[in-house]
Amino acid sequence: MASPVLSKFNPTIFIKSLKFCGRRSLSAGTVRRTEKRNEKISEYAEGETHFGFEKVKEEEKSSKVHKVFEDVAQDYDKMNDCMSFGVHRLWKDIFMQRLSPVHGTRLLDVGGGTGDIAFRFVKYLENSSIPVNPNLSNHVTISDINNEMLEVGKRRAADRGVITAAEEVNCSVDWLEADAEKLPLPDSSFNAYTIAFCIRNCTHPEKVLEEAYRVLQPGGRFLCLEFSHVENDTLRWLYDQYSFQIIPLMGQLVAGQWRPYQYLVESIRQFPAQEEFKEMIEAAGFRCVSYENLNFGVVAIHSGFKL
């Protein structure tokens, strides 16, 4: 059955959605989180931000993050498998299941240079029980700020026959080197937007969310997969020990570099917790915003709709 998210815009659904998904009055918890966020922001001077636990100038962060991913591009898949014991593949499979694309989907995958999400999108359409409709074209744009990551994705697509598979389901694929905060794309040009393990690396996540809202059509869906915060105290302590003691060492042994993976674990701790990020998504204009924790909150899937 076709997903209502990606079907044609329905005014009746739109009105009902506004009724049930409109902005709520600020709860005491929301006020406390806002105050805490403002306190955290005040730790930085004007024009400063964080790069892991390091204070840097805002204009420096993007180049530092760019260098991190340039350095790890060739070993990206190998390290993802090692760090997560292969579970990252399951997370991404669940992520695509939550999107549940139908024929006629135009997807923008941001920060997806290596193709993990886009390839799953094509595979999902391949496995769909609904026959390909020649009158409904599919499309995915794979966007990344780092050309090294895009080149890895292009090689993987060629090696795995992804482009041929995409053609069989009437899906076009293109690659775009672009900043998630300033997308060179028209308004309302996609009906699905995904971003996986990327937004925490951006200097201004709120600008990324605003751009996501801008490029989505009314009725379009925003879906984000990101490392998040483990809520159980004991599990969080164990996760912290693994993150800070083992992951950088693993990076040195497997990829010959520990610093990018030290940044990785620090950047996760700097990223907003689930409820706070949910409020940021709502502030960008999205409605019916929700999140789903995976593995006790090690990662979370955040969802919202442009209504």
Side-chain angles (χ1 to χ4, degrees), residues 126-193:
E126 265 191 303
N127 293 335
S128 173
S129 58
I130 302 173
V132 175
N133 184 338
N135 297 318
L136 287 176
S137 61
N138 305 295
H139 175 77
V140 57
T141 292
I142 304 162
S143 173
D144 203 294
I145 197 171
N146 192 301
N147 188 58
E148 289 291 325
M149 300 291 276
L150 289 169
E151 290 302 319
V152 170
K154 290 174 184 177
R155 287 196 296 271
R156 291 178 66 197
D159 292 344
R160 300 180 185 189
V162 172
I163 303 304
T164 300
E167 290 172 352
E168 291 175 356
V169 292
N170 198 20
C171 181
S172 56
V173 180
D174 64 24
W175 309 78
L176 175 67
E177 185 176 351
D179 185 343
E181 298 181 15
K182 296 175 290 187
L183 294 169
L185 296 166
D187 295 354
S188 305
S189 47
F190 296 87
N191 54 18
Y193 175 113

Side-chain angles (χ1 to χ4, degrees), residues 55-254:
K55 285 185 182 181
V56 298
K57 293 190 179 300
E58 287 186 346
E59 61 267 22
E60 294 175 352
K61 179 170 180 176
S62 60
S63 61
K64 284 179 173 287
V65 170
H66 189 280
K67 182 67 166 61
V68 164
F69 284 93
E70 187 176 65
D71 290 344
V72 304
Q74 302 306 319
D75 295 300
Y76 189 73
D77 287 334
K78 188 191 303 182
M79 273 301 296
N80 281 345
D81 282 333
C82 290
M83 289 185 298
S84 71
F85 303 99
V87 177
H88 76 100
R89 298 175 184 271
L90 179 60
W91 293 335
K92 292 166 184 171
D93 288 342
I94 294 172
F95 186 59
M96 188 51 57
Q97 289 168 10
R98 297 298 181 265
L99 180 63
S100 298
V102 296
H103 292 291
T105 298
R106 288 185 55 82
L107 170 65
L108 173 62
D109 182 40
V110 173
T114 59
D116 275 357
I117 303 303
F119 299 168
R120 281 171 169 79
F121 170 69
V122 173
K123 190 70 174 177
Y124 194 96
L125 293 175
E126 265 191 303
N127 293 335
S128 173
S129 58
I130 302 173
V132 175
N133 184 338
N135 297 318
L136 287 176
S137 61
N138 305 295
H139 175 77
V140 57
T141 292
I142 304 162
S143 173
D144 203 294
I145 197 171
N146 192 301
N147 188 58
E148 289 291 325
M149 300 291 276
L150 289 169
E151 290 302 319
V152 170
K154 290 174 184 177
R155 287 196 296 271
R156 291 178 66 197
D159 292 344
R160 300 180 185 189
V162 172
I163 303 304
T164 300
E167 290 172 352
E168 291 175 356
V169 292
N170 198 20
C171 181
S172 56
V173 180
D174 64 24
W175 309 78
L176 175 67
E177 185 176 351
D179 185 343
E181 298 181 15
K182 296 175 290 187
L183 294 169
L185 296 166
D187 295 354
S188 305
S189 47
F190 296 87
N191 54 18
Y193 175 113
T194 53
I195 183 166
F197 302 122
C198 170
I199 197 167
R200 76 179 190 286
N201 296 309
C202 299
T203 306
H204 305 101
E206 68 280 3
K207 291 184 180 179
V208 177
L209 294 171
E210 289 167 4
E211 280 291 88
Y213 188 86
R214 181 184 67 80
V215 300
L216 278 171
Q217 299 168 0
R221 188 176 189 184
F222 166 86
L223 211 60
C224 173
L225 175 65
E226 188 53 88
F227 289 109
S228 200
H229 292 241
V230 176
E231 295 173 345
N232 180 277
D233 290 341
T234 302
L235 291 176
R236 183 170 61 249
W237 182 86
L238 291 171
Y239 179 49
D240 285 345
Q241 300 311 302
Y242 173 72
S243 296
F244 287 98
Q245 304 301 324
I246 304 299
I247 288 179
L249 176 62
M250 194 181 293
Q252 185 63 41
L253 295 174
V254 175

Side-chain angles (χ1 to χ4, degrees), residues 32-45 48-50 52-53 55 229 266-273 276 280:
R32 284 195 298 272
R33 283 189 293 273
T34 302
E35 290 173 348
K36 186 176 180 181
R37 182 163 67 241
N38 290 339
E39 287 174 9
K40 190 171 183 179
I41 292 171
S42 68
E43 295 175 5
Y44 300 97
E48 285 186 339
T49 188
H50 57 80
F53 292 160
K55 285 185 182 181
H229 292 241
E266 291 178 358
S267 68
I268 293 169
R269 274 67 186 179
Q270 294 282 41
F271 192 70
E276 184 179 345
M280 290 175 66

